[in-house]
PDB file of all heavy atoms in Angstrom:
ATOM      1  N   PRO M 341      10.045   3.503   1.943  1.00 97.00           N
ATOM      2  CA  PRO M 341       9.496   4.859   1.970  1.00 97.00           C
ATOM      3  C   PRO M 341       7.974   4.828   1.962  1.00 97.00           C
ATOM      4  O   PRO M 341       7.353   3.990   1.294  1.00 97.00           O
ATOM      5  CB  PRO M 341      10.027   5.488   0.679  1.00 97.00           C
ATOM      6  CG  PRO M 341      11.189   4.648   0.281  1.00 97.00           C
ATOM      7  CD  PRO M 341      10.896   3.266   0.783  1.00 97.00           C
ATOM      8  N   VAL M 342       7.386   5.725   2.725  1.00 98.00           N
ATOM      9  CA  VAL M 342       5.930   5.865   2.783  1.00 98.00           C
ATOM     10  C   VAL M 342       5.599   7.278   2.346  1.00 98.00           C
ATOM     11  O   VAL M 342       6.161   8.245   2.859  1.00 98.00           O
ATOM     12  CB  VAL M 342       5.397   5.600   4.206  1.00 98.00           C
ATOM     13  CG1 VAL M 342       3.876   5.762   4.247  1.00 98.00           C
ATOM     14  CG2 VAL M 342       5.793   4.212   4.681  1.00 98.00           C
ATOM     15  N   THR M 343       4.700   7.377   1.383  1.00 97.00           N
ATOM     16  CA  THR M 343       4.304   8.681   0.868  1.00 97.00           C
ATOM     17  C   THR M 343       2.805   8.847   1.038  1.00 97.00           C
ATOM     18  O   THR M 343       2.073   7.869   1.186  1.00 97.00           O
ATOM     19  CB  THR M 343       4.715   8.814  -0.617  1.00 97.00           C
ATOM     20  OG1 THR M 343       4.435  10.138  -1.060  1.00 97.00           O
ATOM     21  CG2 THR M 343       3.989   7.822  -1.496  1.00 97.00           C
ATOM     22  N   ASP M 344       2.356  10.070   1.009  1.00 97.00           N
ATOM     23  CA  ASP M 344       0.936  10.381   1.138  1.00 97.00           C
ATOM     24  C   ASP M 344       0.256  10.227  -0.224  1.00 97.00           C
ATOM     25  O   ASP M 344       0.764  10.731  -1.223  1.00 97.00           O
ATOM     26  CB  ASP M 344       0.786  11.812   1.638  1.00 97.00           C
ATOM     27  CG  ASP M 344      -0.628  12.162   2.068  1.00 97.00           C
ATOM     28  OD1 ASP M 344      -1.565  11.385   1.792  1.00 97.00           O
ATOM     29  OD2 ASP M 344      -0.789  13.221   2.691  1.00 97.00           O
ATOM     30  N   GLN M 345      -0.865   9.539  -0.242  1.00 97.00           N
ATOM     31  CA  GLN M 345      -1.610   9.387  -1.500  1.00 97.00           C
ATOM     32  C   GLN M 345      -2.144  10.719  -1.996  1.00 97.00           C
ATOM     33  O   GLN M 345      -2.269  10.926  -3.187  1.00 97.00           O
ATOM     34  CB  GLN M 345      -2.791   8.430  -1.314  1.00 97.00           C
ATOM     35  CG  GLN M 345      -2.424   7.006  -1.152  1.00 97.00           C
ATOM     36  CD  GLN M 345      -3.634   6.092  -1.070  1.00 97.00           C
ATOM     37  OE1 GLN M 345      -4.772   6.502  -1.318  1.00 97.00           O
ATOM     38  NE2 GLN M 345      -3.399   4.848  -0.729  1.00 97.00           N
ATOM     39  N   GLY M 346      -2.458  11.620  -1.094  1.00 94.00           N
ATOM     40  CA  GLY M 346      -3.012  12.912  -1.479  1.00 94.00           C
ATOM     41  C   GLY M 346      -4.505  12.838  -1.725  1.00 94.00           C
ATOM     42  O   GLY M 346      -5.162  11.839  -1.436  1.00 94.00           O
ATOM     43  N   GLU M 347      -5.019  13.900  -2.270  1.00 95.00           N
ATOM     44  CA  GLU M 347      -6.460  14.048  -2.490  1.00 95.00           C
ATOM     45  C   GLU M 347      -6.880  13.511  -3.853  1.00 95.00           C
ATOM     46  O   GLU M 347      -6.046  13.262  -4.711  1.00 95.00           O
ATOM     47  CB  GLU M 347      -6.847  15.535  -2.389  1.00 95.00           C
ATOM     48  CG  GLU M 347      -6.549  16.156  -1.037  1.00 95.00           C
ATOM     49  CD  GLU M 347      -7.325  15.510   0.090  1.00 95.00           C
ATOM     50  OE1 GLU M 347      -8.528  15.224  -0.097  1.00 95.00           O
ATOM     51  OE2 GLU M 347      -6.730  15.277   1.159  1.00 95.00           O
ATOM     52  N   GLY M 348      -8.194  13.392  -4.026  1.00 96.00           N
ATOM     53  CA  GLY M 348      -8.756  12.995  -5.308  1.00 96.00           C
ATOM     54  C   GLY M 348      -9.217  11.560  -5.316  1.00 96.00           C
ATOM     55  O   GLY M 348      -9.083  10.826  -4.335  1.00 96.00           O
ATOM     56  N   ASP M 349      -9.780  11.170  -6.457  1.00 97.00           N
ATOM     57  CA  ASP M 349     -10.246   9.790  -6.585  1.00 97.00           C
ATOM     58  C   ASP M 349      -9.040   8.876  -6.797  1.00 97.00           C
ATOM     59  O   ASP M 349      -7.899   9.329  -6.906  1.00 97.00           O
ATOM     60  CB  ASP M 349     -11.282   9.649  -7.696  1.00 97.00           C
ATOM     61  CG  ASP M 349     -10.754   9.977  -9.088  1.00 97.00           C
ATOM     62  OD1 ASP M 349      -9.530   9.873  -9.320  1.00 97.00           O
ATOM     63  OD2 ASP M 349     -11.568  10.331  -9.953  1.00 97.00           O
ATOM     64  N   LEU M 350      -9.283   7.582  -6.834  1.00 96.00           N
ATOM     65  CA  LEU M 350      -8.190   6.616  -6.949  1.00 96.00           C
ATOM     66  C   LEU M 350      -7.330   6.876  -8.182  1.00 96.00           C
ATOM     67  O   LEU M 350      -6.101   6.813  -8.115  1.00 96.00           O
ATOM     68  CB  LEU M 350      -8.742   5.185  -6.966  1.00 96.00           C
ATOM     69  CG  LEU M 350      -7.707   4.070  -7.075  1.00 96.00           C
ATOM     70  CD1 LEU M 350      -6.718   4.127  -5.911  1.00 96.00           C
ATOM     71  CD2 LEU M 350      -8.395   2.718  -7.138  1.00 96.00           C
ATOM     72  N   GLY M 351      -7.946   7.211  -9.298  1.00 97.00           N
ATOM     73  CA  GLY M 351      -7.189   7.495 -10.513  1.00 97.00           C
ATOM     74  C   GLY M 351      -6.244   8.673 -10.340  1.00 97.00           C
ATOM     75  O   GLY M 351      -5.086   8.623 -10.770  1.00 97.00           O
ATOM     76  N   ASP M 352      -6.726   9.732  -9.701  1.00 97.00           N
ATOM     77  CA  ASP M 352      -5.879  10.902  -9.434  1.00 97.00           C
ATOM     78  C   ASP M 352      -4.705  10.529  -8.545  1.00 97.00           C
ATOM     79  O   ASP M 352      -3.565  10.936  -8.794  1.00 97.00           O
ATOM     80  CB  ASP M 352      -6.682  12.012  -8.734  1.00 97.00           C
ATOM     81  CG  ASP M 352      -7.760  12.621  -9.593  1.00 97.00           C
ATOM     82  OD1 ASP M 352      -7.647  12.568 -10.840  1.00 97.00           O
ATOM     83  OD2 ASP M 352      -8.734  13.160  -9.018  1.00 97.00           O
ATOM     84  N   ARG M 353      -4.983   9.770  -7.500  1.00 97.00           N
ATOM     85  CA  ARG M 353      -3.938   9.394  -6.554  1.00 97.00           C
ATOM     86  C   ARG M 353      -2.903   8.476  -7.203  1.00 97.00           C
ATOM     87  O   ARG M 353      -1.698   8.624  -6.977  1.00 97.00           O
ATOM     88  CB  ARG M 353      -4.559   8.740  -5.315  1.00 97.00           C
ATOM     89  CG  ARG M 353      -5.368   9.763  -4.495  1.00 97.00           C
ATOM     90  CD  ARG M 353      -6.045   9.146  -3.306  1.00 97.00           C
ATOM     91  NE  ARG M 353      -7.236   8.450  -3.757  1.00 97.00           N
ATOM     92  CZ  ARG M 353      -7.697   7.305  -3.254  1.00 97.00           C
ATOM     93  NH1 ARG M 353      -7.066   6.709  -2.268  1.00 97.00           N
ATOM     94  NH2 ARG M 353      -8.793   6.760  -3.720  1.00 97.00           N
ATOM     95  N   MET M 354      -3.369   7.554  -8.042  1.00 97.00           N
ATOM     96  CA  MET M 354      -2.439   6.664  -8.742  1.00 97.00           C
ATOM     97  C   MET M 354      -1.592   7.444  -9.744  1.00 97.00           C
ATOM     98  O   MET M 354      -0.387   7.214  -9.850  1.00 97.00           O
ATOM     99  CB  MET M 354      -3.207   5.542  -9.443  1.00 97.00           C
ATOM    100  CG  MET M 354      -3.814   4.545  -8.479  1.00 97.00           C
ATOM    101  SD  MET M 354      -4.868   3.326  -9.292  1.00 97.00           S
ATOM    102  CE  MET M 354      -3.664   2.412 -10.229  1.00 97.00           C
ATOM    103  N   GLN M 355      -2.206   8.343 -10.473  1.00 97.00           N
ATOM    104  CA  GLN M 355      -1.475   9.150 -11.463  1.00 97.00           C
ATOM    105  C   GLN M 355      -0.369   9.954 -10.796  1.00 97.00           C
ATOM    106  O   GLN M 355       0.743  10.047 -11.305  1.00 97.00           O
ATOM    107  CB  GLN M 355      -2.426  10.085 -12.218  1.00 97.00           C
ATOM    108  CG  GLN M 355      -1.729  10.964 -13.242  1.00 97.00           C
ATOM    109  CD  GLN M 355      -1.005  10.180 -14.310  1.00 97.00           C
ATOM    110  OE1 GLN M 355      -1.564   9.250 -14.880  1.00 97.00           O
ATOM    111  NE2 GLN M 355       0.243  10.517 -14.583  1.00 97.00           N
ATOM    112  N   ARG M 356      -0.659  10.507  -9.631  1.00 96.00           N
ATOM    113  CA  ARG M 356       0.342  11.271  -8.897  1.00 96.00           C
ATOM    114  C   ARG M 356       1.527  10.382  -8.515  1.00 96.00           C
ATOM    115  O   ARG M 356       2.678  10.787  -8.638  1.00 96.00           O
ATOM    116  CB  ARG M 356      -0.318  11.879  -7.655  1.00 96.00           C
ATOM    117  CG  ARG M 356       0.425  12.970  -6.999  1.00 96.00           C
ATOM    118  CD  ARG M 356      -0.360  13.739  -5.931  1.00 96.00           C
ATOM    119  NE  ARG M 356      -1.512  13.108  -5.356  1.00 96.00           N
ATOM    120  CZ  ARG M 356      -2.783  13.358  -5.689  1.00 96.00           C
ATOM    121  NH1 ARG M 356      -3.061  14.246  -6.635  1.00 96.00           N
ATOM    122  NH2 ARG M 356      -3.779  12.746  -5.088  1.00 96.00           N
ATOM    123  N   GLN M 357       1.266   9.155  -8.095  1.00 97.00           N
ATOM    124  CA  GLN M 357       2.337   8.232  -7.717  1.00 97.00           C
ATOM    125  C   GLN M 357       3.167   7.811  -8.928  1.00 97.00           C
ATOM    126  O   GLN M 357       4.397   7.726  -8.854  1.00 97.00           O
ATOM    127  CB  GLN M 357       1.762   6.994  -7.013  1.00 97.00           C
ATOM    128  CG  GLN M 357       1.069   7.297  -5.703  1.00 97.00           C
ATOM    129  CD  GLN M 357       1.964   7.967  -4.696  1.00 97.00           C
ATOM    130  OE1 GLN M 357       3.132   7.615  -4.549  1.00 97.00           O
ATOM    131  NE2 GLN M 357       1.437   8.953  -4.003  1.00 97.00           N
ATOM    132  N   VAL M 358       2.509   7.545 -10.038  1.00 97.00           N
ATOM    133  CA  VAL M 358       3.215   7.157 -11.260  1.00 97.00           C
ATOM    134  C   VAL M 358       4.094   8.305 -11.749  1.00 97.00           C
ATOM    135  O   VAL M 358       5.274   8.109 -12.064  1.00 97.00           O
ATOM    136  CB  VAL M 358       2.212   6.715 -12.362  1.00 97.00           C
ATOM    137  CG1 VAL M 358       2.899   6.574 -13.701  1.00 97.00           C
ATOM    138  CG2 VAL M 358       1.539   5.401 -11.958  1.00 97.00           C
ATOM    139  N   SER M 359       3.545   9.505 -11.772  1.00 97.00           N
ATOM    140  CA  SER M 359       4.318  10.677 -12.218  1.00 97.00           C
ATOM    141  C   SER M 359       5.532  10.898 -11.313  1.00 97.00           C
ATOM    142  O   SER M 359       6.639  11.180 -11.802  1.00 97.00           O
ATOM    143  CB  SER M 359       3.443  11.921 -12.214  1.00 97.00           C
ATOM    144  OG  SER M 359       2.420  11.800 -13.169  1.00 97.00           O
ATOM    145  N   SER M 360       5.337  10.745 -10.024  1.00 96.00           N
ATOM    146  CA  SER M 360       6.427  10.936  -9.069  1.00 96.00           C
ATOM    147  C   SER M 360       7.521   9.875  -9.280  1.00 96.00           C
ATOM    148  O   SER M 360       8.720  10.192  -9.240  1.00 96.00           O
ATOM    149  CB  SER M 360       5.894  10.850  -7.640  1.00 96.00           C
ATOM    150  OG  SER M 360       6.939  10.932  -6.718  1.00 96.00           O
ATOM    151  N   ALA M 361       7.125   8.637  -9.515  1.00 97.00           N
ATOM    152  CA  ALA M 361       8.102   7.562  -9.732  1.00 97.00           C
ATOM    153  C   ALA M 361       8.929   7.817 -10.982  1.00 97.00           C
ATOM    154  O   ALA M 361      10.158   7.654 -10.957  1.00 97.00           O
ATOM    155  CB  ALA M 361       7.383   6.216  -9.813  1.00 97.00           C
TER     156      ALA M 361
END
Side-chain angles (χ1 to χ4, degrees):
V342 180
T343 186
D344 191 349
Q345 288 184 10
E347 299 298 318
D349 63 25
L350 180 59
D352 293 335
R353 292 177 282 144
M354 290 174 68
Q355 179 60 48
R356 196 169 20 259
Q357 296 301 319
V358 169
S359 295
S360 176

